[in-house]
Amino acid sequence: MLDEIIREYNEAVFDTDRERALEVIHSAVAAGVTPDDVIFRVVVPAIQQMVKGISEHFDANLAQHFMASQIASEVTDAMLELIGTAPTSVGKVVIGAADGDLHSLGKRIVIGCLKPQMIDVVDLGVNVPCERFVDEALASDAQVIGISAMMLHTARGENGCLGVRRLLKERGLERKIKVIVGGAPYRFDPGLYKAVGADAWADDGIAAGQIIKDLIREVSR
């Protein structure tokens, strides 16, 4: 039965048919599939498959990726409400677009991919000042700051990751809070993250999830 559910869900996600995807999931739960299995055996593999398709086919529809992540996030929230004892969160990340950057699509895709991986997310929006990244990370007890930048000047600027790194250093927080970056400039120059003082970078939401988990474990040692 689960194989059929996976097939139907994947088809709905590929067609960006939110209503059909939710119908498949709710029918699965009614038939006895556990919310945990929905999240970890249906939703997460579907996101992984979509990410793989985007990376292998440059003409793949980014809107499909966006919708897949949003559907995954919505299904995950619904399933967590049904679970008596929710899966333990692995940690928390505050995420936003760098100061001066108003692009939100990539960030929203990443957030949609992180929730099914049991990573708590605080979305700071776009055009986020360095101080707010650090202040919100402290206020929410987040182990990781995620900074999205779609333009080279916002990736390299002093009000982006460089500024966040400076504040962490000034406040003695470099071992307590790690920084991950993402966006087009880092794809063109995979070494750029080091130049702007980040601890890591990720090419997509699934990769970001694994890297963020690694950074959280590093902080927790």
Side-chain angles (χ1 to χ4, degrees):
M1 180 178 69
L2 191 60
D3 288 342
E4 180 64 16
I5 291 167
I6 292 170
R7 183 188 65 77
E8 291 182 0
Y9 179 80
N10 286 350
E11 287 180 356
V13 168
F14 183 82
D15 292 336
T16 64
D17 188 340
R18 171 184 169 276
E19 295 301 326
R20 175 57 181 155
L22 293 175
E23 179 184 327
V24 169
I25 292 305
H26 288 302
S27 295
V29 172
V33 178
T34 67
D36 299 70
D37 278 346
V38 168
I39 294 173
F40 296 112
R41 299 181 66 183
V42 180
V43 175
V44 172
I47 284 286
Q48 291 172 330
Q49 182 176 333
M50 185 65 71
V51 168
K52 186 172 183 288
I54 290 285
S55 65
E56 292 179 350
H57 304 287
F58 294 105
D59 60 345
N61 190 341
L62 188 60
Q64 288 179 313
H65 191 186
F66 173 70
M67 282 302 300
S69 67
Q70 298 307 295
I71 292 169
S73 178
E74 186 172 351
V75 170
T76 299
D77 287 342
M79 292 302 101
L80 290 177
E81 290 181 4
L82 297 177
I83 297 174
T85 302
T88 303
S89 167
V90 299
K92 184 177 292 185
V93 56
V94 296
I95 186 170
D99 194 8
D101 202 309
L102 301 176
H103 296 84
S104 66
L105 179 59
K107 172 180 67 65
R108 291 170 68 187
I109 289 174
V110 169
I111 290 172
C113 293
L114 294 182
K115 284 187 177 181
Q117 300 182 69
M118 296 301 111
I119 298 171
D120 290 337
V121 180
V122 178
D123 183 5
L124 303 182
V126 299
N127 194 29
V128 182
C130 301
E131 292 82 0
R132 188 173 176 218
F133 276 116
V134 177
D135 290 345
E136 290 288 348
L138 283 171
S140 60
D141 199 25
Q143 298 94 340
V144 180
I145 292 172
I147 307 173
S148 171
M150 291 301 291
M151 299 176 291
L152 184 59
H153 71 274
T154 54
R156 297 187 66 94
E158 290 293 329
N159 292 325
C161 186
L162 285 170
V164 171
R165 173 57 65 192
R166 182 183 66 252
L167 287 175
L168 292 175
K169 185 174 182 179
E170 289 174 356
R171 300 185 190 185
L173 297 171
E174 289 185 290
R175 292 188 177 183
K176 183 178 180 181
I177 301 174
K178 298 298 180 179
V179 182
I180 183 172
V181 293
Y186 302 101
R187 294 192 185 96
F188 290 117
D189 181 2
L192 178 59
Y193 81 96
K194 295 181 180 179
V196 299
D199 296 292
W201 82 283
D203 188 42
D204 57 65
I206 292 295
Q210 185 55 59
I211 294 169
I212 288 170
K213 290 176 185 177
D214 292 340
L215 292 175
I216 289 170
R217 280 193 288 268
E218 185 177 338
V219 169
S220 302
R221 288 173 184 167

